[in-house]
Amino acid sequence: MCIRDSLGDLPSGSGRVLVGHGFDNADFDTVDIILPATCEMEGALVEDLQFATVRDVDDLPADDYVVAIAAPDSCDAAVGPITAPVTEDVATLLVAAADEMGMPQVYAIVGDFSSGDEMTPIPTLPAVTP
């Protein structure tokens, strides 16, 4: 796994997106991250994301994206959909984890590299259900 630690190569108007799988549940050992609006035509944004892994997704144009967690090879949301931000010149980490009730939730951790090579996190925010 290679996670880029610099934003110097970001295309103009884009943000870097990473996803992490931290929801410890046998039913969710491996999941796909989908954009429900385009999943049927384009497939999953991230396929076969395994528990306890982080994957560098892609650089996406800055926008709010509606994402969901689905079973592998499915376009039916098992968790979500939620709206997650992608901010220009910023790295966003979307993490699936359990909330205080043990239910799956997706959190957006947003940071930047303005302080140097290390990402300076901005406080964790729960992603918003549309």
Side-chain angles (χ1 to χ4, degrees):
M1 169 180 63
C2 177
I3 297 175
R4 294 170 283 174
D5 64 353
S6 168
L7 297 177
D9 60 345
L10 263 174
S12 178
S14 295
R16 178 136 310 140
V17 180
L18 302 98
V19 292
H21 184 353
F23 182 60
D24 190 8
N25 181 304
D27 292 335
F28 292 94
D29 278 344
T30 302
V31 298
D32 285 356
I33 307 301
I34 63 169
L35 302 174
T38 60
C39 184
E40 291 292 338
M41 294 179 297
E42 299 176 13
L45 182 64
V46 176
E47 294 181 337
D48 302 323
L49 182 63
Q50 295 179 335
F51 172 69
T53 62
V54 174
R55 194 177 305 170
D56 192 350
V57 176
D58 209 346
D59 299 335
L60 297 174
D63 203 349
D64 288 334
Y65 289 84
V66 177
V67 299
I69 298 171
D73 303 318
S74 173
C75 287
D76 295 325
V79 178
I82 55 96
T83 301
V86 174
T87 305
E88 183 176 355
D89 298 328
V90 171
T92 300
L93 172 61
L94 302 176
V95 179
D99 66 13
E100 62 277 355
M101 302 298 289
M103 300 301 296
Q105 175 60 274
V106 177
Y107 298 91
I109 302 171
V110 181
D112 66 32
F113 291 85
S114 61
S115 63
D117 290 337
E118 298 293 320
M119 186 173 86
T120 304
I122 295 171
T124 302
L125 303 170
V128 179
T129 301

